[in-house]
Amino acid sequence: MPPGTPFTLTPNGIARTKKQMKMDKDKCDHCGKMQSLLNKKLKECTRCEVIFYCGRDCQKAAWKKHKKVCKAPSAGGGLKFISSAF
């Protein structure tokens, strides 16, 4: 990420730009299917509210890997906006 690019720090500690965050909400984190092709809204992880799945099967299949980084948003509002300017 170039210096000066604004980004959001997810509860998992991953830096994501606004464009990346929007794209994350448009596809299933497990199978990669796009929300627009499924004709239904993706379901977010109820704990971290960052990861999205097309259904229960994908959520269950991804849980073993995802639970290692899944954290509830902090009481202070969850995602933090940070500038990468140094």
Side-chain angles (χ1 to χ4, degrees):
M1 196 174 313
T5 303
F7 64 92
T8 301
L9 189 62
T10 68
N12 304 339
I14 301 169
R16 307 291 283 161
T17 65
K18 286 184 181 184
K19 183 177 180 181
Q20 289 171 322
M21 292 291 286
K22 183 178 180 345
M23 288 173 53
D24 290 346
K25 294 179 182 180
D26 291 338
K27 69 176 186 172
C28 175
D29 191 63
H30 180 69
C31 70
K33 290 180 184 172
M34 301 297 289
Q35 178 173 285
S36 58
L37 298 175
L38 293 169
N39 293 323
K40 65 179 181 179
K41 189 174 178 178
L42 297 177
K43 296 170 174 52
E44 67 183 352
C45 173
T46 55
R47 182 188 286 173
C48 70
E49 302 173 357
V50 174
I51 302 298
F52 291 81
Y53 299 103
C54 60
R56 181 90 173 126
D57 292 338
C58 280
Q59 183 182 17
K60 285 178 74 172
W63 179 242
K64 185 175 181 178
K65 179 181 171 187
H66 178 61
K67 72 180 176 181
K68 295 175 184 175
V69 295
C70 184
K71 297 176 184 160
S74 66
L79 301 177
K80 298 177 220 164
F81 179 76
I82 301 172
S83 174
S84 64
F86 291 89

